[in-house]
Amino acid sequence: MQASSISKYRPFPPVHLPDRTWPDQTITRAPVWCSVDLRDGNQALPQPMSIEEKLEFFDLLCRTGFKQIEIGFPSAADTEFNFCRRLIEENRIPDDVTIQILVQTREHLIRRSFEAIAGAKKAIVHIYNSTSPLQRRVTFGDASREQIRDIAVEGARLVKDLVPTVPGTEIILQYSPESFSDTELDFALECCNAVIDVWQPTPEKKMIINLPDTVQWTTPNVHADQIEWMCRHLDRRDSLLVSLHTHNDRGTGTAATELGLMAGADRVEGTLFGNGERTGNLDIVNVALNMNSHGIPTGLDFSDINRLREVYERVTRMTVGERHPYAGELVFTAFSGSHQDAIKKGLDRRDRELKDHPDLPWGVPYLTIDPRDIGRSYEAIIRINSQSGKGGIAYILDREHGLDLPKTMHPQVGKRIYDLADELGRELSADEIRDAFHRLFANLEHPLSLKEYELVHHTVERGQVSCSATVVLYDEERKIHGLGNGPINAFVHAMENAGMKDFKVSDYRSHAVRGGSDANAAAYVQVQHDDGRIVWGCGIDPSIEMAGLKALVTAWNLLR
Ligand code: KIV
Ligand code: ZN
């Protein structure tokens, strides 16, 4: 912003709470969760969900483990009312799930809301009125504090009177001083205590005081101060569930919620992936998985986050960003070579140590959780662009294509494949990496190619092998012969006998290729040229002998 623009903004006043205790608290248990996807989330969609889509979403929320679900604002529109009725009349609400409905503190809306919930086993009736000085001045035309408090009290009285009209329904009452985040604390307290006084909750029949961070005006520590201050001053604290409802205007919904829990809140409202007005509501998935990552069970099951995301994106028509915590396409992906190397080492070491220590705590560099715990896979972790280092290519070839390259081959292969990514100016897929590896380092046939060979294992001179092969060298077919202490050695001698003398084999290894449909072997031969150059070649073939010879031919070709 330009200085001339900045000058119109003011600092947000801090809360005077020198003896605040929340900074020393740690989160040790999960709050009561309430999804507001079908209300706050839905009302913020360019194209709100249809009833069928809401029903699917409701089922998803139930399966995920939500026990409190705000299903809408039934007095606001017929579709909202009808959705509520369908849930109730079609018996779609599991016995352990409580629906919540939102309503402004206005008489006809409150009456209509009670009609909507008739027949439900349990329901939370959530009333709200806006309380901040800004709202009092602008929206309510300079309404006084008393007028605003009276709106809350009248609404609360009407709700109390209407509870007996739904005798079969167990009602939990909830009040929100909307715009709490910029309401003077003493006035928010006055409104809440006035409602508490009307509803007279008890420890056995608690009510909910929801303190919305309706617009996030300031830093999360101030929100925590506000919550701690309210928790200290609210009447009948032991008869209340203090609830958080953060939004994300400053990008700190998660932080504000976590600090709010440290400050004493019992309950959290939010949405999947943070859908909601403007920058969205709190992302409950984020906070719950943060808790899981500290060993805290939450009652919510995000073990198939891809499916959750698929349904969410389809029915809301929103998208989850690529870097969105836990759910984003790229969040378990490392492009940086040093990160890839550390992750590969961490995963390999963990695999080894788990054999002796099945309870080994999670600890892999750069991964706060095991991606498999939320249905993500290791395969996607390492991806290759021109900025990546050498370890990643080897990881992809190993994990995705079953090729376990010798460590000293990594730099040679890495460099060529990164050059390719650089040329293309984009990321390479795992299949492109495999194809490039095959094209550049495996079964190379020019200028030398092996057409056929025969090995004879001599039993008299134990360990001696003679090799007769047909090769094509610079388009000329030749028969070559050699004797050695193994197939490779015999073939090397056959090459030498045919005049190809400028190299020696300096390393060799082989393994069965994992995972492929064909039972192939992979062999790697390192050769050193007389001029000092050292290269690795790879051979892949159903026969391990042939794979070794192809690897040697490939390495020799790479030196030409
Ligand atoms: O953000 C908000 O203040 C709300 C209230 C209605 C709880 O959504
Ligand atoms: Zn909200």
Side-chain angles (χ1 to χ4, degrees), residues 177-217:
E178 200 239 15
S179 61
F180 165 78
S181 43
D182 57 327
T183 300
E184 311 90 325
L185 282 175
D186 67 321
F187 183 55
L189 182 70
E190 185 180 327
C191 293
C192 291
N193 279 344
V195 173
I196 292 167
D197 190 45
V198 176
W199 284 347
Q200 300 277 316
T202 63
E204 295 70 43
K205 182 113 185 83
K206 294 187 182 181
M207 62 168 277
I208 300 165
I209 288 286
N210 187 47
L211 300 173
D213 201 6
T214 304
V215 178
Q216 199 167 54
W217 299 103

Side-chain angles (χ1 to χ4, degrees), residues 39-40 245 247 281:
R39 194 276 301 172
D40 223 346
H245 175 115
H247 279 264
N281 286 62

Side-chain angles (χ1 to χ4, degrees), residues 6-14 217-219 222 250:
I6 295 173
S7 64
K8 69 172 169 283
Y9 299 102
R10 295 289 175 275
F12 192 90
W217 299 103
T218 188
T219 48
V222 174
R250 296 170 60 91

Side-chain angles (χ1 to χ4, degrees), residues 33 64-66 272-273 283-289 292 298-306 308 371-376:
W33 304 106
T64 302
F66 285 96
L272 299 186
F273 310 121
D283 175 4
I284 284 194
V285 182
N286 195 165
V287 174
L289 286 173
N292 284 169
T298 62
L300 298 178
D301 178 2
F302 297 120
S303 55
D304 190 357
I305 204 162
N306 292 336
L308 202 73
R372 287 179 303 188
D373 291 339
I374 56 171
R376 308 283 307 261

Side-chain angles (χ1 to χ4, degrees), residues 61 80 86 99 127 177 235 237 258 278 311 443 450 518:
L61 292 169
E80 299 272 290
R86 272 192 71 176
I99 55 166
I127 62 168
D235 290 342
R237 177 65 184 91
E258 291 179 334
R278 310 180 306 281
V311 177
N443 296 0
L450 172 62
D518 316 318

